[in-house]
Amino acid sequence: MTQPIEQEITRSRRRPINATLIVGAVLVGVIVATAAVSLVWTPQAPMRVLSTEAYQRPNAEFWLGTDRLRRDVFTQILLGARTTLLVGIVAVGVAALIGVPLGILAAMSAGWFGQLIMRSNDILLAFPALLLAIMFAAIYGGSTQVAMVAIGIATIPSFARVTRASALSVLRTEYVTAARAAGRGPVAIAVRHVLPNVASLVIVQASVAFAIAILAEAALAYLGLGTPTGQPSWGRMLYEAQSTLRSAPHLVLIPGIAIAWSVLGFNLLGDGLRDYLDPKLEDR
Amino acid sequence: MPACTRWAPIPHPGMGHAMTEPILKLTDVRREFRRPRTSLRTPPPVVRAVNGVNLEVAPGERLGIVGESGSGKSTLLRLLSGLDQPTSGQIEVQGRRVDGQSSRQLKWLRETMQLVFQDPMSSLDPRMRVRDIIAEPLVAAGMSAAGKREERVVTLLQSVGLPKDAIDRYPHQFSGGQRQRISVARALAPQPKILVADEPVSALDVSVRAQVLNLIDNVVEGFDLTLIFVSHDLSVVRHVCDRVAVMRRGEFVEVAPTEELFADPQHAYTKQLIAAIPTLSAALGGRTAAALADEVNQQAGGENRD
Amino acid sequence: MILPLVRRFGVLVASVVASSLVVFAFMQVLPGNPARVALGLNASEGAVERMTTQFGLDRPLPVQYWEWASGMLTLDPGIEYISKAAIGPQIADRLLITLWLVGLAMALAVAIAIPLGVWMAVRHRHADGVVLTAASQIGVAIPAFLAGIVLISIFAVRLRWVPSDGWVAPAEDPVLFAKSVVLPTISLALVQGSVLARYVRSAVLDVLREDYLRTARAKGLTPMQALWRHGSRNAAIPVVTVMGLQLATLLVGAVVIERVFVIPGLGSLLLDSVSDRELLTVQSIVMVLVVAVLVINFIVDALYLMIDPRLKTGAR
Amino acid sequence: MGAAVLSVQGLGVATTRTPLLADVSFTIDSGERVGLIGESGSGKSLTALAVMGLLSDGVRANGTVELAGHEGNLLERPEREMAKIRGSDMAMIFQEPMTALNPTMRVGAQVAEVMRIHGTEPSKAAAKSRAVELLDSVGLPDPANVARSYPHQLSGGQRQRIVAAIALANSPDLLICDEPTTALDVTVQALVLDLIVRQAQERDAALLFITHDLAVVATVCERVMVMYGGRIVEAGPVTEVFTDPRHHYTQGLLAASDLSMPDGSRRERRSLPTIAGSVPGAGHFPDGCVFRNRCEAATEACTEVPTWHDRGDGAGYACVHPLGADSSSGHGARDD
């Protein structure tokens, strides 16, 4: 009874991998590799005070020199990468795990409940990450853990917003109507249709939020409200080196470059992923 | 303008007995939407998207619903497929109520009535394989054995003229016409009695449109379905349907068997709609744009509609 | 136009009330008596008790909230635990300094970002556009305090053109004011300008793809004329949102820059209060900053109504 | 019929990787109405944009485009000079009235602007009052009030009339319409078609009318060009092309698009004739004859680009196995 048509199933969408994505992935890859190396090897024992001169310029023995307290800078940079990644992962993890379900919930509940979620979200949005982290530090004292959680909470609204907007557009598509007409319940629609289709935007958002988290942590450590003295942190290194800027500029430049490197990496990765995952932006 | 009432269901040509139980019955169905308030003094405006629609459809009938943008045909379609609730009125499918039921209570409807949508790009989830798309109504209906589902999906693919190996592909790997075939296969999956098609060919190229119209014709015939076919295009509806309901501003202005409607339209709006269709034969016979517009204006009685 | 504005103002008031509750509640989570926290572990029981009664810290929470909230409304949230100095005037003085900094930085950022962003968008297929875009990406990645430190090392320490720290009020000595404010302003504006430029770029790129821009060119406008006459207003809609967010970021970002340049702004007061355990002061400053952010959001919404005629009727 | 207003010779359009349009040649005389039909991806809109000089950044055109009253090839003109021609001597009406107007500008100002750009009205006030007259002449009721509205306050049909008013404001010699009624309701379509034809006739303008709808093109135009895969495959007077097509694609399109029987009566429930397969994506058309992978008559000979066969009277086709009297091969559409 049916008429077979000419079979020409074609058009597999081959997405061009863009330069931004590659550069971003390489920059982030270096940070990840650095952190991984520090797990098994560091040139010197972590945070050990050496019996050598302070303020050494980079040299053969101490690749990136030594600081005021005669510690090896390269070792600190390696360990700092770990802190940086840890902060990013925890902060983004907290934000995504809470923000994404909230966003989907807000999109799917049309009435007062969805309104309530978004209004609460807007109020949380009035507390920028740094401010929230300072509040947390005022109460609980400054530590890496407190900083991570505070930054994470402050990042929830951005995830919830992005997810909600994207989920709303997914919910307006005919394939969701088709699923409803097929008898699928709200949970199945959320899990089978909405989540997979908002995932790419959430990944992009995660990458950008990672960069913001790194910046916030560095600022907190610099203010003395994040990672405390004696623990490795790029922001902390900057703070300690500021007073000796004139005599030992490399102590500022090296952690500064490390921070900028990782922020740049995650921002580029986010931009690259946005172009890679969104066919609409192909011609940019 | 008075509505021309020829409400009684017309038994379609193939049916011997005159009156059967209607498979679909709408009684004074209304749906109002409240727009956001624009001023503190006046109450928020109310849009009557569907305004008192009555309809009976006999089993096996092919009914067309024709209307221009904003006529309320999409809202009506959402109502009768249980995706939206009427403000008032009754909707019955096979004698069972659709209105006022929760989606959980409507599981039976999902196995009785299925939909085919307008936009072949957005009606298939881009992140799902064809296998899962077509099987979705089966999963929802509780068919849990994956092997059985797969078997059914393969059969369905064949009956819409797609090869077996389409099963592992994603929607973007198909052309618009092929995607509408997948859509039809999904709709057929739970073995429905009623197929509701919402502008299924208006997004397609002319050369592909005929293929999909033929397919719909074939499955309605082959699976013994009742067809509700919604379109803005009277000539398509004329080709597909036995009976046509013309909708404007939330109301049916005229319901009549297709040929009767074309040969002798009663309502001025129907006349205007028919007059406005440009046809190749009329154009080649010398009907100019001015003549076309004149006819439309004549029927409208000078009422400017845009 | 009036009704949507009234509605948004209602949202603003409700948000201020809700966030004040959040701030107040947050500060109450602290384990133990605020007086004990302020005085430290070595203080005598008597001192703690005296302070508790003096500040009414043993009263029911709603009463304490009401006193603080109404105090905030009259710009007089109370006095500090230890120094007994009035909090209101301190915040006012410091806020003025921070506002100078934020205002100048925002102005500079906008002045850099808009032409730069438009250029990047219009030339996005050409080498110069790509290079500028890449450069802006690096600008985004440099933390403001790092920019500040580097600027100090060059212009204050090496070249000695400007002081490395301190603050002079504009009324006192305009020249010294300008010298003291130039580096902090640049540090703040560099990052925010880069961020804003990227948003301007993407807004302009979006507008360039719009059908009405093609209509404008079909009318006989050159690409730049079309962009200016038909694109600017439409591109402004997303850019205004970002500018609002940036003002908020700048207000808080100023905390760090004030620390780098030793400027006695609101941020310094906040950090000092945190280390002095002056929780009432912390709470009040946080509230001031949050209200500022909410007011900025309200202004952004109001600007929308002016820019986009589609919102005036309430219909989208 | 007057002298040639638009003359296009060997027009090709391509991105850096994909050719999109090849060897497009035609002329339009003043007062003449020519239709360009084709399905999505056939290249008909690209043709219009190439003539207007409005191709997007990464797309380049070659060949020659000449407009009466302007020396030389328009494709070689600098942007600044093209801008002077656009909106005055040639103008365009677009498909999507919902997005073709600036949402943040009153429509009266948008109409007045085109006259101010080209200096056809001496002052702002004069342009404004002329804009209201134009809105009246394109059939908008209460034009003074409409001029003060924003686009979102108007219906699709009203917006398309405004787009038409903008295009007609400076009485162009060439008016290009790209699917101007596709987004409109059928009753509104009839009125807008009438408006376009009437206004073009009043100004004795050359009209290039692009659409996918054969009935519309037959209603509006005297001559038609059929486009497929970036090439013109058949052209000629509407009656000749539509009643006696030579190209298999034209024939298939005709068969598939007319749902009623040739005499206008209803086609009883019988399968419609179809064209096999679907339109390939850009850059995926076969070499040689672009239609050969969907054509029943295709042979080895079709792997070469078919030459243009003149039928006289400006009519012709590009097919190795043409339909009609002088050919023995089969038909383009299947009746199954």
Side-chain angles (χ1 to χ4, degrees):
Chain A
M1 58 158 286
T2 58
Q3 147 223 23
I5 57 156
E6 183 193 338
Q7 300 318 327
E8 39 139 354
I9 302 171
T10 50
R11 281 194 248 178
S12 71
R13 182 168 41 178
R14 228 175 281 125
R15 290 171 160 149
I17 293 191
N18 52 63
T20 315
L21 183 60
I22 295 170
V23 175
V26 167
L27 293 182
V28 170
V30 168
I31 301 290
V32 173
T34 311
V37 165
S38 80
L39 288 174
V40 291
W41 174 83
T42 48
Q44 304 292 337
M47 310 314 277
R48 198 181 83 183
V49 177
L50 304 164
S51 45
T52 181
E53 271 179 57
Y55 302 123
Q56 287 184 40
R57 297 285 162 113
N59 57 53
E61 191 187 355
F62 304 105
W63 293 352
L64 296 177
T66 57
D67 71 358
R68 181 169 57 105
L69 297 174
R70 291 177 285 149
R71 294 173 302 193
D72 179 40
V73 174
F74 188 46
T75 305
Q76 293 189 61
I77 289 290
L78 288 182
L79 295 170
R82 236 150 80 184
T83 311
T84 297
L85 284 183
L86 182 70
V87 169
I89 290 167
V90 172
V92 170
V94 166
L97 282 179
I98 300 175
V100 172
L102 274 184
I104 293 181
L105 206 59
M108 292 185 77
S109 25
W112 61 270
F113 187 63
Q115 282 286 319
L116 182 73
I117 293 175
M118 288 328 283
R119 289 286 173 231
S120 326
N121 204 50
D122 285 349
I123 287 166
L124 188 52
L125 201 61
F127 295 83
L130 206 54
L131 185 62
L132 203 66
I134 292 172
M135 282 171 72
F136 269 70
I139 301 282
Y140 299 103
S143 73
T144 315
Q145 288 79 357
V146 169
M148 296 188 298
V149 172
I151 296 167
I153 292 176
T155 317
I156 292 172
S158 65
F159 273 92
R161 278 196 160 191
V162 166
T163 307
R164 176 172 172 271
S166 169
L168 278 177
S169 70
V170 171
L171 287 170
R172 271 194 292 268
T173 59
E174 288 183 338
Y175 60 80
V176 168
T177 313
R180 290 181 61 200
R184 280 300 190 126
V187 177
I189 287 175
V191 175
R192 305 261 304 167
H193 294 286
V194 177
L195 202 54
N197 283 290
V198 302
S200 61
L201 269 179
V202 169
I203 290 169
V204 170
Q205 179 66 24
S207 192
V208 174
F210 211 111
I212 294 171
I214 291 172
L215 278 176
E217 194 276 334
L220 276 174
Y222 174 79
L223 292 177
L225 294 173
T227 309
T229 324
Q231 282 178 31
S233 158
W234 296 340
R236 189 83 212 172
M237 290 168 77
L238 263 176
Y239 174 68
E240 288 168 0
Q242 194 189 352
S243 52
T244 57
L245 187 59
R246 189 162 188 151
S247 52
H250 67 284
L251 292 181
V252 167
L253 285 179
I254 291 166
I257 289 170
I259 294 169
W261 176 292
S262 46
V263 173
L264 182 64
F266 279 101
N267 273 334
L268 288 176
L269 188 66
D271 270 19
L273 283 172
R274 191 188 326 252
D275 289 356
Y276 178 68
L277 295 171
D278 186 356
K280 275 188 305 237
L281 299 177
E282 255 168 19
D283 57 335
R284 276 205 182 169
Chain B
M1 241 169 259
C4 304
T5 42
R6 281 184 274 178
W7 299 123
I10 312 291
H12 94 284
M15 300 203 25
H17 44 293
M19 289 304 282
T20 38
E21 272 300 292
I23 193 167
L24 173 68
K25 188 175 175 198
L26 276 64
T27 316
D28 197 29
V29 172
R30 292 166 195 274
R31 179 68 171 102
E32 294 172 357
F33 294 102
R34 221 165 274 278
R35 297 281 298 276
R37 190 184 274 272
T38 52
S39 147
L40 284 171
R41 284 180 289 273
T42 54
V46 171
V47 179
R48 293 190 175 82
V50 174
N51 194 14
V53 163
N54 291 290
L55 180 70
E56 287 185 11
V57 181
E61 199 181 357
R62 300 176 176 204
L63 177 85
I65 300 177
V66 172
E68 298 186 287
S69 53
S71 63
K73 56 187 194 302
S74 305
T75 307
L76 182 65
L77 204 137
R78 292 177 59 80
L79 291 174
L80 61 86
S81 49
L83 296 170
D84 191 9
Q85 292 295 332
T87 313
S88 69
Q90 276 187 33
I91 301 164
E92 287 164 69
V93 171
Q94 291 185 316
R96 294 174 75 171
R97 288 284 284 271
V98 171
D99 56 290
Q101 312 288 304
S102 74
S103 57
R104 210 171 294 230
Q105 289 168 308
L106 284 176
K107 275 234 139 73
W108 63 272
L109 181 70
R110 309 305 174 206
E111 288 153 45
T112 312
M113 180 188 279
Q114 277 290 313
L115 285 84
V116 175
F117 296 90
Q118 169 173 10
D119 183 357
M121 308 308 269
S122 101
S123 60
L124 307 176
D125 189 333
R127 314 252 165 205
M128 272 193 182
R129 289 176 194 278
V130 168
R131 169 202 314 277
D132 299 318
I133 290 171
I134 298 181
E136 188 160 44
L138 300 174
V139 176
M143 189 197 252
S144 48
K148 254 174 112 182
R149 281 204 308 259
E150 169 119 12
E151 217 173 280
R152 179 106 182 86
V153 170
V154 171
T155 321
L156 285 164
L157 278 175
Q158 277 165 354
S159 57
V160 297
L162 285 172
K164 259 213 315 248
D165 63 353
I167 198 165
D168 283 321
R169 293 173 185 271
Y170 286 97
H172 66 82
Q173 295 172 298
F174 296 88
S175 70
Q178 289 168 326
R179 268 181 268 203
Q180 285 305 61
R181 286 172 193 271
I182 297 169
S183 237
V184 171
R186 170 177 59 190
L188 296 176
Q191 294 178 299
K193 294 275 173 294
I194 307 172
L195 184 66
V196 177
D198 183 8
E199 303 260 13
V201 295
S202 61
L204 299 178
D205 279 321
V206 181
S207 73
V208 179
R209 181 179 72 172
Q211 293 173 3
V212 174
L213 288 177
N214 285 346
L215 174 71
I216 288 176
D217 191 46
N218 285 338
V219 299
V220 169
E221 193 78 39
F223 293 91
D224 212 8
L225 301 176
T226 305
L227 177 69
I228 311 285
F229 190 99
V230 176
S231 177
H232 69 282
D233 189 337
L234 251 180
S235 47
V236 170
V237 166
R238 183 187 192 191
H239 172 75
V240 175
C241 301
D242 305 321
R243 197 156 65 105
V244 181
V246 180
M247 197 167 183
R248 183 174 70 153
R249 293 177 198 159
E251 293 170 19
F252 282 172
V253 297
E254 185 164 0
V255 184
T258 309
E259 277 322 288
E260 224 176 293
L261 188 93
F262 271 85
D264 183 23
Q266 298 296 307
H267 194 276
Y269 178 66
T270 314
K271 292 181 188 170
Q272 192 189 2
L273 218 49
I274 293 171
I277 306 171
T279 63
L280 204 49
S281 44
L284 293 175
R287 181 161 75 171
T288 62
L292 189 67
D294 272 353
E295 280 177 56
V296 171
N297 279 331
Q298 231 166 36
Q299 303 301 349
E303 179 190 0
N304 204 332
R305 282 208 61 259
D306 61 22
Chain C
M1 167 114 194
I2 297 302
L3 191 66
L5 204 60
V6 169
R7 198 179 287 147
R8 282 166 174 80
F9 189 75
V11 170
L12 170 66
V13 171
S15 304
V16 168
V17 171
S19 54
S20 74
L21 281 168
V22 170
V23 171
F24 181 79
F26 190 82
M27 290 299 170
Q28 304 305 319
V29 238
L30 187 71
N33 187 335
R36 167 63 71 191
V37 173
L39 293 171
L41 289 174
N42 299 330
S44 68
E45 281 301 323
V48 170
E49 211 164 285
R50 243 176 292 130
M51 183 179 267
T52 306
T53 32
Q54 188 191 348
F55 285 88
L57 299 171
D58 49 357
R59 289 173 299 166
L61 288 180
V63 177
Q64 290 191 44
Y65 168 75
W66 177 249
E67 196 191 12
W68 170 68
S70 53
M72 285 299 289
L73 279 180
T74 54
L75 306 178
D76 179 25
I79 57 172
E80 295 197 324
Y81 294 133
I82 307 295
S83 72
K84 309 286 189 288
I87 297 172
Q90 283 196 66
I91 292 183
D93 290 350
R94 304 291 196 101
L95 182 61
L96 188 66
I97 294 175
T98 300
L99 286 181
W100 266 112
L101 213 53
V102 169
L104 287 171
M106 193 69 204
L108 183 61
V110 170
I112 300 170
I114 288 180
L116 197 67
V118 172
W119 184 266
M120 275 153 50
V122 171
R123 304 278 300 171
H124 77 288
R125 281 179 190 279
H126 300 265
D128 52 342
V130 173
V131 167
L132 277 178
T133 307
S136 75
Q137 191 65 271
I138 292 170
V140 172
I142 295 172
F145 62 91
L146 177 61
I149 294 170
V150 172
L151 286 177
I152 288 177
S153 80
I154 298 172
F155 295 101
V157 179
R158 257 172 236 283
L159 299 174
R160 295 183 180 282
W161 288 355
V162 287
S164 68
D165 52 35
W167 174 263
V168 179
E172 224 172 279
D173 186 335
V175 178
L176 279 182
F177 163 74
K179 281 191 167 180
S180 69
V181 87
V182 61
L183 290 189
T185 302
I186 293 174
S187 319
L188 277 173
L190 204 65
V191 183
Q192 297 308 322
S194 305
V195 173
L196 187 58
R198 297 184 60 77
Y199 278 100
V200 170
R201 171 182 182 267
S202 88
V204 171
L205 275 179
D206 282 344
V207 164
L208 283 174
R209 269 191 288 269
E210 291 285 352
D211 282 357
Y212 55 78
L213 224 70
R214 195 177 55 185
T215 309
R217 292 194 53 204
K219 280 175 171 182
L221 293 172
T222 62
M224 282 317 283
Q225 284 173 325
L227 185 60
W228 174 245
R229 291 202 206 176
H230 293 272
S232 49
R233 207 180 164 104
N234 290 289
I237 294 170
V239 169
V240 162
T241 316
V242 176
M243 278 166 50
L245 286 173
Q246 287 207 296
L247 262 178
T249 313
L250 277 175
L251 267 176
V252 180
V255 174
V256 192
I257 284 301
E258 286 169 12
R259 176 54 55 102
V260 175
F261 289 93
V262 198
I263 293 170
L266 196 58
S268 303
L269 182 62
L270 176 61
L271 293 174
D272 293 344
S273 306
V274 168
S275 50
D276 292 348
R277 313 302 245 155
E278 284 288 355
L279 291 185
L280 188 59
T281 317
V282 172
Q283 184 178 321
S284 305
I285 295 172
V286 167
M287 198 57 219
V288 166
L289 289 172
V290 168
V291 169
V293 172
L294 290 170
V295 168
I296 290 166
N297 289 349
F298 171 72
I299 293 171
V300 165
D301 274 357
L303 281 176
Y304 273 177
L305 290 175
M306 285 166 62
I307 297 173
D308 193 343
R310 285 167 293 189
L311 296 177
K312 278 180 200 161
T313 48
R316 290 232 169 200
Chain D
M1 217 104 303
V5 171
L6 176 69
S7 165
V8 175
Q9 293 303 323
L11 176 68
V13 170
T15 65
T16 44
R17 268 166 270 159
T18 329
L20 300 169
L21 215 61
D23 200 23
V24 172
S25 303
F26 60 92
T27 60
I28 307 179
D29 297 341
S30 68
E32 197 185 16
R33 301 188 300 277
V34 176
L36 183 58
I37 60 168
E39 299 178 280
S40 56
S42 63
K44 52 195 195 303
S45 294
L46 271 180
T47 309
L49 293 176
V51 170
M52 290 290 287
L54 289 177
L55 289 171
S56 52
D57 256 1
V59 187
R60 306 216 142 268
N62 57 61
T64 52
V65 173
E66 288 171 339
L67 188 69
H70 297 275
E71 281 292 306
N73 188 352
L74 291 193
L75 296 181
E76 285 158 10
R77 261 172 203 252
E79 171 59 35
R80 202 159 270 287
E81 283 180 49
M82 278 304 283
K84 283 184 194 140
I85 304 174
R86 284 196 291 262
S88 60
D89 291 342
M90 61 180 178
M92 185 158 171
I93 298 176
F94 299 95
Q95 172 172 1
E96 269 300 333
M98 297 320 220
T99 53
L101 294 169
N102 182 348
T104 58
M105 195 172 177
R106 293 182 197 276
V107 296
Q110 298 192 47
V111 178
E113 185 186 26
V114 71
M115 292 175 281
R116 296 293 297 142
I117 296 169
H118 298 284
T120 30
E121 291 294 330
S123 69
K124 221 172 184 169
K128 272 216 166 120
S129 66
R130 175 85 183 103
V132 175
E133 282 171 43
L134 268 166
L135 293 180
D136 189 37
S137 76
V138 295
L140 284 163
D142 196 3
N145 200 12
V146 168
R148 281 192 298 275
S149 324
Y150 287 101
H152 73 275
Q153 296 166 315
L154 305 171
S155 72
Q158 288 171 328
R159 289 190 218 186
Q160 199 59 306
R161 285 171 193 269
I162 287 156
V163 175
I166 291 172
L168 295 163
N170 295 324
S171 293
D173 300 331
L174 170 68
L175 178 63
I176 301 177
C177 300
D178 185 5
E179 304 256 15
T181 59
T182 306
L184 304 179
D185 280 330
V186 63
T187 47
V188 181
Q189 162 173 285
L191 303 176
V192 171
L193 289 180
D194 176 41
L195 170 76
I196 288 171
V197 171
R198 210 156 18 85
Q199 300 279 347
Q201 274 174 338
E202 273 171 26
R203 292 165 171 77
D204 202 26
L207 177 68
L208 177 61
F209 193 96
I210 296 168
T211 178
H212 69 281
D213 189 324
L214 279 70
V216 166
V217 94
T219 306
V220 170
C221 301
E222 302 145 334
R223 208 147 59 77
V224 65
M225 305 179 285
V226 182
M227 200 162 208
Y228 183 82
R231 288 172 179 276
I232 293 177
V233 295
E234 181 156 15
V238 168
T239 38
E240 192 172 336
V241 173
F242 284 176
T243 54
D244 183 22
R246 293 293 149 95
H247 201 283
H248 296 266
Y249 176 65
T250 315
Q251 153 81 17
L253 206 55
L254 279 164
S257 64
D258 211 9
L259 297 174
S260 54
M261 295 305 280
D263 62 355
S265 72
R266 184 187 186 207
R267 179 190 281 275
E268 278 309 316
R269 194 168 298 147
R270 248 189 304 139
S271 273
L272 297 164
T274 61
I275 303 178
S278 50
V279 185
H284 292 282
F285 288 91
D287 308 329
C289 174
V290 281
F291 188 59
R292 71 186 162 91
N293 63 335
R294 300 177 72 188
C295 182
E296 290 210 318
T299 62
E300 202 48 34
C302 302
T303 51
E304 295 287 313
V305 177
T307 49
W308 187 257
H309 297 267
D310 223 317
R311 288 171 81 180
D313 199 16
Y317 55 89
C319 180
V320 183
H321 307 290
L323 295 151
D326 54 341
S327 113
S328 54
S329 50
H331 48 91
R334 294 181 295 188
D335 215 320
D336 49 8

